């Protein structure tokens, strides 16, 4: 479903992504971990072309992302994305946040879009907030709305860019629970996170990055129990022992 | 204060007053449209448009208004274009104000968190849709106060038309002054007429600001 082939990215002189090769199959949950600045978010953002790649090939849903003739909006409507800072539209209600793209991009009827929105709000556990504005919600609730907003497009793939990093510790659980149930239903997910518990429990595969490279890749079991790369060992000893 | 100046010359004052309203309304609408276009030029993802927009703003806003007005009134004669004082003055006022409005709108758009653009674009909305549904509605709240200032300036700056045959309030006041030689009383009423225009405009801007703040 996603295929990185020898992908490189530069910001000027800075080599952000180095020779990335990565395959994600349909229904897989891939969690990307690693120290800050290792290129995890950049890698994720390349998938829906929020970042462009410098060379190599990136194919998502059978579409080559980095080709001039690629209709980027066509590609993006099949990819949901959840951001660290939620990025809900502050001037729109929760319901309007969720229905905007289905109505404007997919051409769904308003009543139909609202029905779908309510279904997903139900699913993330806050149907009573449909007519609230984002500023009236807690961080955890906002992030759950953001997930519902992504799902309402009925995407084939969901991207999560540190979805719990900006949350109060008490709210992290409610967001992870939603993501967990999504994974159980077979959604293809790529998640950048520092939540090692979530990674261990939900991921089919862990990708460990450092300095723009994929240093190690494997099942959560082998990665957490027996990391091979020195950098991964060091990382795990630091994040797990506190 | 000598009210006879006002009563004796009421029709002359009124002619100038309504012309000033006309100039201000034309200037307001046109400078807003032109300013918005220039602002979009400045932020559009196209280098050449950015450059054109930047040239317009930096060139126009750094020249005194009266020079721009003289260019349209006197300067264009060299190119065999003869504009009336009214037309030349209104054009000068429009493009001068537009350069400031462009900056206000650009700053407003750029102050909207860039995560908004990313969230909207990643959901499949086009650049234009994102601007229309997400960015501009948020930018307008930020832009209203500086925009209000520019509109107030525009009304007051229109008095520059009095320098040549602009037919505005200031121009007719000068003619009253030439007749009566009563400088103080003639221009006191001019001040009052400008306040009649600017104070309601000022209140309107304040009202819009409060109303938009409520929908946050």
């Amino acid at each position: 479903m996603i295929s990185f082939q020898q992908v490189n990215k530069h910001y000027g002189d800075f080599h952000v992504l180095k020779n990335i090769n990565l395959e994600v199959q349909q229904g897989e949950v891939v969690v990307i971990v690693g120290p800050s600045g290792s290129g995890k978010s950049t890698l994720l953002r390349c998938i829906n072309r929020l970042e462009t790649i410098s060379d190599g090939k990136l194919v998502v849903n059978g579409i080559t992302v980095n080709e001039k003739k690629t209709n980027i909006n066509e590609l993006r409507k099949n990819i949901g994305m959840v951001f660290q800072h939620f990025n809900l539209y502050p001037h729109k209600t929760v319901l309007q946040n969720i229905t905007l793209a289905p109505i404007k991009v997919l051409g769904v009827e308003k009543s139909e879009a609202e029905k779908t929105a309510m279904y997903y709000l139900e699913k993330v556990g806050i149907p009573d907030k449909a007519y609230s504005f984002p500023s009236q919600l807690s961080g955890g609730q906002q992030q759950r709305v953001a997930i519902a907003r992504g799902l309402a497009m009925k995407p084939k793939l969901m991207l999560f860019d540190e979805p719990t990093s900006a949350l109060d510790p008490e709210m992290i659980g409610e967001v992870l629970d939603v993501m967990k149930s999504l994974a159980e239903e077979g959604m293809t997910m790529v998640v950048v996170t520092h939540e090692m518990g979530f990674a261990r429990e939900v991921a089919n595969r862990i990708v460990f990055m450092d300095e723009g490279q994929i240093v190690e890749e494997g099942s959560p079991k082998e990665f957490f129990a027996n990391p091979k790369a020195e950098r991964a060992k060091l990382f795990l000893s630091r994040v797990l022992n506190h | 204060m000598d009210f006879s100046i006002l009563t004796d010359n009421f029709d002359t004052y009124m002619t100038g007053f309504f012309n000033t309203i006309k100039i201000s309304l034309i200037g307001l609408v046109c400078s807003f449209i032109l300013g918005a276009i220039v602002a979009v030029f400045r932020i559009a993802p196209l280098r050449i448009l950015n450059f054109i927009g930047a040239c317009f703003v930096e060139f126009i806003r750094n020249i005194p208004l009266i020079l721009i007005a003289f260019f349209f009134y006197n300067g264009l004669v060299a190119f065999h274009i003869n504009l009336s004082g009214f037309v030349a003055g209104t054009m000068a006022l429009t493009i001068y104000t537009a350069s400031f409005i462009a900056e206000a709108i650009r700053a407003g758009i750029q102050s909207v968190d860039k995560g908004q653009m990313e969230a909207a674009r990643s959901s499949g909305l086009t650049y234009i849709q994102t601007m229309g549904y997400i960015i501009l509605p948020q930018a307008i709240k930020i832009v209203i106060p500086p925009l209000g200032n520019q509109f107030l300036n525009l009304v007051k700056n229109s008095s520059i038309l009095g320098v040549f045959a602009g037919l505005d309030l200031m121009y007719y006041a000068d003619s009253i002054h030439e007749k009566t030689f009563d400088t103080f009383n003639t221009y006191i009423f001019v001040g009052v007429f400008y306040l009649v225009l600017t104070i309601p405009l000022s209140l309107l801007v304040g009202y819009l600001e409060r109303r938009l703040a409520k929908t946050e």
Side-chain angles (χ1 to χ4, degrees):
Chain A
M1 179 164 245
I2 304 174
S3 165
F4 284 81
Q5 296 157 30
Q6 283 298 109
V7 167
N8 282 281
K9 178 174 178 61
H10 302 263
Y11 281 125
D13 286 341
F14 184 45
H15 201 166
V16 206
L17 295 177
K18 297 172 187 161
N19 296 326
I20 301 291
N21 287 293
L22 179 69
E23 301 282 328
V24 178
Q25 307 303 324
Q26 187 163 356
E28 236 190 330
V29 177
V30 172
V31 172
I32 306 175
V33 298
S36 299
S38 59
K40 311 182 292 290
S41 288
T42 309
L43 178 79
L44 189 78
R45 290 160 56 88
C46 285
I47 296 171
N48 66 355
R49 217 169 81 183
L50 283 182
E51 304 282 353
T52 53
I53 64 176
S54 308
D55 62 62
K57 194 173 179 194
L58 172 56
V59 182
V60 178
N61 285 331
I63 300 170
T64 308
V65 177
N66 57 316
E67 245 173 20
K68 262 223 163 102
K69 63 174 202 281
T70 299
N71 182 343
I72 194 63
N73 298 321
E74 197 58 34
L75 174 76
R76 282 172 176 162
K77 70 185 190 192
N78 286 313
I79 307 175
M81 183 150 188
V82 175
F83 298 86
Q84 180 177 357
H85 296 288
F86 332 134
N87 297 351
L88 296 180
Y89 312 133
H91 60 303
K92 293 190 177 293
T93 63
V94 164
L95 198 62
Q96 290 168 335
N97 262 276
I98 302 174
T99 56
L100 180 73
I103 293 170
K104 300 298 175 190
V105 178
L106 303 180
V108 175
E109 287 287 324
K110 187 168 175 239
S111 58
E112 184 65 33
E114 286 179 350
K115 226 162 73 191
T116 310
M118 288 312 294
Y119 170 80
Y120 285 110
L121 276 177
E122 205 88 46
K123 210 174 154 106
V124 300
I126 36 174
D128 51 316
K129 300 291 182 190
Y131 298 97
S132 303
F133 282 93
S135 58
Q136 297 165 315
L137 305 184
S138 72
Q141 290 171 330
Q142 289 192 47
Q143 195 59 300
R144 286 188 280 157
V145 171
I147 295 173
R149 179 172 71 176
L151 293 174
M153 290 293 281
K154 306 210 167 86
K156 297 192 176 112
L157 164 69
M158 285 287 284
L159 307 176
F160 293 85
D161 190 1
E162 301 202 22
T164 57
S165 298
L167 294 176
D168 284 348
E170 284 180 294
M171 315 238 163
I172 292 175
E174 63 192 54
V175 171
L176 292 181
D177 285 344
V178 170
M179 291 169 64
K180 220 177 288 175
S181 71
L182 204 56
E184 280 160 10
E185 287 166 22
M187 175 63 80
T188 312
M189 293 163 63
V190 182
V191 184
V192 171
T193 186
H194 293 297
E195 293 299 324
M196 293 302 143
F198 175 84
R200 195 197 299 252
E201 196 182 335
V202 182
N204 299 117
R205 192 146 46 102
I206 306 277
V207 171
F208 177 77
M209 287 185 72
D210 185 41
E211 294 184 343
Q213 301 182 61
I214 294 179
V215 178
E216 187 160 343
E217 200 182 328
S219 74
K221 216 171 178 179
E222 37 183 310
F223 177 75
F224 285 106
N226 191 15
K228 287 174 209 75
E230 278 307 314
R231 189 63 187 87
K233 281 180 194 163
L234 181 66
F235 177 78
L236 283 176
S237 73
R238 282 178 182 160
V239 294
L240 296 177
N241 296 336
H242 63 82
Chain B
M1 225 155 100
D2 182 1
F3 279 92
S4 69
I5 292 272
L6 178 64
T7 48
D8 290 351
N9 301 287
F10 193 70
D11 288 347
T12 315
Y13 271 125
M14 278 299 115
T15 310
F17 181 66
F18 282 110
N19 275 339
T20 287
I21 292 180
K22 206 151 83 182
I23 295 158
S24 299
L25 283 178
I26 296 170
L28 203 135
V29 172
C30 294
S31 65
F32 180 72
I33 294 170
L34 183 59
I37 292 171
V38 174
V40 170
F41 267 43
R42 291 210 66 179
I43 55 156
L46 241 179
R47 285 266 171 79
I48 179 75
L49 294 185
N50 302 161
F51 181 73
I52 295 170
C55 284
F56 177 87
V57 168
E58 293 308 335
F59 190 68
I60 300 294
R61 76 166 172 179
N62 290 314
I63 296 177
L65 170 58
I66 194 153
L67 273 183
I68 300 172
F70 273 133
F71 172 76
F72 280 105
Y73 189 56
N74 296 321
L76 287 180
V77 175
F79 304 97
H80 307 288
I81 299 170
N82 264 311
L83 298 178
S84 70
F86 182 86
V87 173
T90 308
M91 281 173 74
L93 201 59
T94 297
I95 75 158
Y96 180 76
T97 310
S99 71
F100 290 92
I101 287 177
E103 279 305 275
I105 295 179
R106 180 189 63 83
I109 291 174
Q110 287 183 332
S111 68
V112 175
D113 182 63
K114 80 175 192 342
Q116 295 288 310
M117 176 64 92
E118 289 186 348
R121 289 307 305 276
S122 67
S123 73
L125 292 169
T126 64
Y127 180 81
I128 307 263
Q129 285 176 322
T130 302
M131 272 290 159
Y133 298 121
I134 305 300
I135 308 296
L136 291 179
Q138 294 182 60
I140 198 77
K141 281 180 209 174
I142 303 161
V143 170
I144 285 282
L147 219 52
N149 285 335
Q150 292 311 324
F151 288 151
L152 287 172
N153 280 336
L154 175 111
V155 174
K156 293 182 293 172
N157 285 342
S158 71
S159 61
I160 206 148
L161 271 76
V163 175
F164 38 84
L167 309 182
D168 71 318
L169 181 57
M170 203 63 180
Y171 172 83
Y172 281 104
D174 288 344
S175 76
I176 295 168
H177 175 238
E178 278 162 23
K179 206 170 68 187
T180 61
F181 298 108
D182 185 345
T183 312
F184 182 79
N185 282 305
T186 304
Y187 291 105
I188 274 282
F189 292 115
V190 171
V192 171
F193 279 122
Y194 276 112
L195 286 175
V196 167
L197 284 178
T198 50
I199 286 181
L201 186 58
S202 197
L203 292 174
L204 176 71
V205 170
Y207 167 76
L208 282 177
E209 212 177 310
R210 281 191 304 280
R211 228 189 77 149
L212 286 169
K214 250 188 244 163
T215 59
E216 183 80 330

